[in-house]
Amino acid sequence: MKENSVQIRFKEDPVLLDKILQDMQKSLMNRLKWLNYAFGRAYKLVEHRPDGNKFIYPAMYNGNGEYVSLLPNDNFGNFSWFDIYDPQKITEVVQSLPQYTFSGAIIFWYDLSSIYEDETVMHTEEVKDEIMRVLTTPGLITTTGKLVINDIYERFENIYKGYSIEKIYNNYTYKGEGIQDIDKQFFMYPYAGIRIEFTLTTRELCQRYIL
């Protein structure tokens, strides 16, 4: 799927996790001038292959029952997406609404040559520094919420951990078609990526009543 058919839709009145992720998406697009797409939450999809293997990959919902794969590719330019983990923890607060704690990661996939003209060295640390400056800037989240950065992963198998790419790189047996092409094309310069794991804490400010 090419980029002109991809849609990033924002809810008019998002709540809880949706509100925070939309805040972050908008901030990333405004402050990282090289970022072409700041996708929202990804979902784990399973493709059943003819040989009986299951290929697990992240995909974003594109509306009208359609999903778009977020595996390493050059269709979207430089892009990011969120991987949210189960479970979501709930803490009861006396005389207030419950507090929600979400754990997850934001994944960036990018073409270094589109960001830095100098091809004599790898500029991955510069990209990481720029991303971290945005994520730790006060005011990133406009609602009641707190973002804490926990870990950073840069090896390819860890960037897509929890999906079939991780298993392939950790000596699991998989015979899926096309993996060799992904490996040769996107797991070497100019392509690179980063996975930043975080914890989010938020609560609604007021009770929503149904009349």
Side-chain angles (χ1 to χ4, degrees):
M1 175 172 291
K2 296 300 180 182
E3 75 176 62
N4 60 3
S5 62
V6 174
Q7 301 291 327
I8 296 181
R9 297 180 175 88
F10 294 113
K11 292 183 178 180
E12 292 186 6
D13 297 301
V15 298
L16 298 175
L17 183 62
D18 283 343
K19 178 67 171 70
I20 293 177
L21 296 188
Q22 286 190 187
D23 282 351
M24 294 177 67
Q25 286 175 261
K26 293 175 181 178
S27 293
L28 290 167
M29 286 299 298
N30 289 334
R31 301 180 188 181
L32 297 177
K33 301 306 180 183
W34 48 266
L35 190 65
N36 301 108
Y37 284 93
F39 295 119
R41 182 178 183 176
Y43 298 89
K44 187 172 288 189
L45 299 189
V46 179
E47 179 182 339
H48 295 269
R49 297 295 178 90
D51 59 5
N53 278 295
K54 295 180 181 179
F55 187 76
I56 302 171
Y57 64 98
M60 74 149 202
Y61 184 62
N62 199 42
N64 301 315
E66 180 184 63
Y67 288 82
V68 177
S69 171
L70 295 175
L71 287 173
N73 69 81
D74 58 2
N75 293 334
F76 313 137
N78 304 320
F79 62 95
S80 65
W81 54 278
F82 291 94
D83 194 7
I84 304 300
Y85 311 149
D86 278 340
Q88 300 170 8
K89 297 182 180 180
I90 310 297
T91 303
E92 294 293 337
V93 180
V94 177
Q95 296 182 338
S96 182
L97 295 177
Q99 176 175 283
Y100 296 80
T101 300
F102 305 89
S103 295
I106 180 170
I107 292 85
F108 291 84
W109 193 262
Y110 47 87
D111 178 344
L112 283 166
S113 66
S114 71
I115 306 173
Y116 293 94
E117 295 182 358
D118 180 12
E119 298 184 4
T120 60
V121 294
M122 297 282 283
H123 288 279
T124 52
E125 289 300 294
E126 288 83 354
V127 172
K128 178 170 64 179
D129 179 65
E130 190 175 356
I131 292 171
M132 288 298 295
R133 287 176 183 271
V134 173
L135 294 180
T136 56
T137 297
L140 175 71
I141 299 171
T142 61
T143 188
T144 300
K146 180 181 180 182
L147 173 71
V148 177
I149 304 298
N150 299 321
D151 299 290
I152 296 176
Y153 296 90
E154 295 180 332
R155 291 175 57 176
F156 292 118
E157 68 269 29
N158 293 328
I159 294 172
Y160 278 82
K161 72 174 185 175
Y163 300 94
S164 290
I165 288 180
E166 177 193 15
K167 294 183 179 180
I168 293 164
Y169 269 82
N170 284 310
N171 298 319
Y172 284 70
T173 300
Y174 177 73
K175 300 178 182 178
E177 297 176 1
I179 269 301
Q180 292 82 3
D181 293 333
I182 293 178
D183 179 73
K184 292 177 182 178
Q185 287 183 323
F186 301 116
F187 291 172
M188 61 180 64
Y189 185 88
Y191 298 103
I194 189 171
R195 180 186 192 92
I196 300 173
E197 296 199 328
F198 58 75
T199 302
L200 277 169
T201 303
T202 188
R203 72 163 65 101
E204 289 289 88
L205 291 178
C206 60
Q207 182 69 55
R208 294 172 179 264
Y209 293 100
I210 299 176
L211 301 179

